[in-house]
Amino acid sequence: MLLQAKQAVKRFSSGTPNEVIAVKDISLDLSAGEFLAIHGPSGGGKSTLLLILGGLLRPDSGTIEINGRQPYALSAEDRASLRATEIGFVFQQFHLIPYLTVIENVIAPGLAPRPAGKESSHTELHQRAVELIEKFGLAARADHKPGELSTGERQRTALARALLFKPPLLLADEPTGNLDDENARIVLTAMKEYCAEGGGVLLVTHDARASEYADRTLTIRDGQLQAENVPA
Amino acid sequence: MSVWQIIIKEIRHRKLNFCLSLVAVAVAVAFLTGAISLLNVESAITHWLQNQHQAEFEKKIELKQEEVQKAGQELTEFARKNGLLLGFNIWILPENQSLNELHVSGEISQTFPESYVHKLSEAKVVTINHLFPMVIEKLTWEEKGIDIILTGTQGEVPILHRTSKKPLQDQVPTGSMVLGYNIHSELNLKVGDKVQLRGKEFEITELYDQRGTKDDSTVWINLKEAQELLGRQNLINAILALECNCASVDRIGEIRQELASILPGTKIIEEKSRALARAESRNKAKQEAEESLAREKLSGMTLLEDQQHNRDQLEQQLSFFTTVLIAFILICATIWLGLLTYNNVRQRRNEIAILRAFGVRSHQILTTIIGRNLIIGVLGACAGILIGFLAGNVYANWSGTQASAGYETPLTLHLTDLQAGSSLILIFLLAPVLALIAGWFPALLASREDPASILQSEN
């Protein structure tokens, strides 16, 4: 199993009258090559669940396993190393570095130290980045900075960056939220292709278009998974 | 891509923040460098002025000393030339000679044997030196119709137990005559003229200049001839003893005691000559000049010490004020840089969060922030040192010119007078250290910030 969550719970302002249970006892799993979409309204706990699954936000209870390793049982540095090798992230706001060009943004995750045996040379990284930006139709924009890109180009850049090291798991938070149909299609298609290559994709969104590409769809409401919908 | 490439690209992207940070460091370093230069320049000028004052003072004292020395030499020369009447001179008179007569009429009517002078010269006296026996008579020079004081003298009688010295006064040769000023000027006589005195012919051999004493009315002839003319063969009126040696205050008493046993029936009085008075006056003047010189020396030294003290105090005050000002500026610059760094970190929260999400380590994030400040520190140090050094140099030139105005040698300050190499190195090291301190807290915040909370709030 690529990703497994068991009874994950996350509370905010715990023990106060303002306590919010963002994630309630959620269990799910994701296999390699699978595209899982989690739908839900804003404030339903989608982003919180994604951060928990990505090893960025420790749950109050429950366990998370990524490729058989529990990120929250690791030290902060080892958890960072796990993220660097196992996970790629795509966010709605792209989070591109404004002073780097497209190709530099794609290469940026290369700053993180890689475990022994998984290091890549600068040339290898550059080659891989070039392939990705060509694949996502960004070749002409390789030397442009994020401020000079359209919204769709920015998201494609963010997606290319997430896939630089071909992580087994791609976590995407509302990647099509700001995109037009065409750009949403490009992004979702790319994710689907990535699954076809063996990667696992977990996407949280309220965009109905995502369901068309997902192998499975879950609905989250008030922090709880409501139903599972497997396309015919 | 390396951390340093990220730093450089970020600096190029956020130029305003970088420039403001650079200005903060450069201003602080420029103040520090300039202040140290200023203090060093002031110190060098103080030292230079002190040396100039010292040299001027020494030159002045040297001139004074030369003047005093010259005056002393003149006095010695004067004393030597006037040795005849200088020093402590005494008259040995017959015991029955009325001093009242001597003082009122200037005459010595009493006599004692001429042998007294020989007796004295053979005795081992220690208190008196040169002996001049003489006969003195106030008379009218009939041939010329003028009143004169006739003095018969034979010159110095040597004291036999002493080593021979050059006589102080030459003997008036037989047949010759020496005239005082009033006599030769009234009678219009010249050297070589032949004159008659009481029927005896004399040749005038010397004419004295005006002395303003009874000498101006005196005629000197040989002692023997005077004794014959006055009918006082083997008699004399007085012995003049010159340059007497007495160690005690009661010098007359000492001489009287010694001579009483050798020459009974004599009395001794002190000759208070005008030359002596003049010599004493000059001695006093010399002493006063020396005392004045010593006082001036002391006063000059005190003045120099006061000046040094005042300048030291001024330097200390300046140093204190500068230290406080510099400390204040350094603290302000550090706080300012810290705030700018914090602002920079706040602007970079997203990129830091995403880098952290991709597995970039916290120490790498720390390095990007600290590295940026290190560059600011190094560049700010270079710019600040350059500005401070140039400003210090301008001040040094201006201040040096001002300080040396009116002096012969202009004050030239070199670059090494402004700053020691070691202090420049320290300043150069200090700036990056301060920049690191200023950036440390914001960098630590950034490296420890929870990326989840940022990513969550941004989505």
Side-chain angles (χ1 to χ4, degrees), chain B residues 442-459:
Chain B
L444 208 61
L445 276 183
S447 68
R448 289 188 175 175
E449 196 151 34
D450 180 14
S453 61
I454 299 166
L455 295 171
Q456 218 171 9
S457 62
E458 296 293 330
N459 277 288

Side-chain angles (χ1 to χ4, degrees), chain B residues 164-232:
Chain B
S164 61
K165 291 180 184 173
K166 186 185 173 188
L168 280 176
Q169 199 174 45
D170 294 331
Q171 183 181 6
V172 182
T174 308
S176 62
M177 180 183 277
V178 177
L179 300 178
Y181 179 78
N182 289 346
I183 307 295
H184 70 75
S185 61
E186 277 186 32
L187 300 177
N188 198 23
L189 292 173
K190 296 178 183 64
V191 172
D193 288 351
K194 301 256 195 290
V195 292
Q196 294 282 328
L197 175 62
R198 292 198 173 180
K200 189 172 171 57
E201 190 177 80
F202 293 90
E203 184 182 350
I204 299 169
T205 54
E206 195 173 355
L207 304 172
Y208 282 167
D209 290 334
Q210 193 170 26
R211 291 178 174 174
T213 65
K214 64 181 181 179
D215 286 357
D216 291 342
S217 302
T218 300
V219 172
W220 287 270
I221 59 173
N222 183 268
L223 177 65
K224 289 292 175 198
E225 287 176 329
Q227 286 172 328
E228 282 171 15
L229 279 177
L230 299 171
R232 293 178 188 168

Side-chain angles (χ1 to χ4, degrees), chain B residues 434-445:
Chain B
L434 283 181
L436 292 183
I437 291 170
W440 185 257
F441 180 67
L444 208 61
L445 276 183

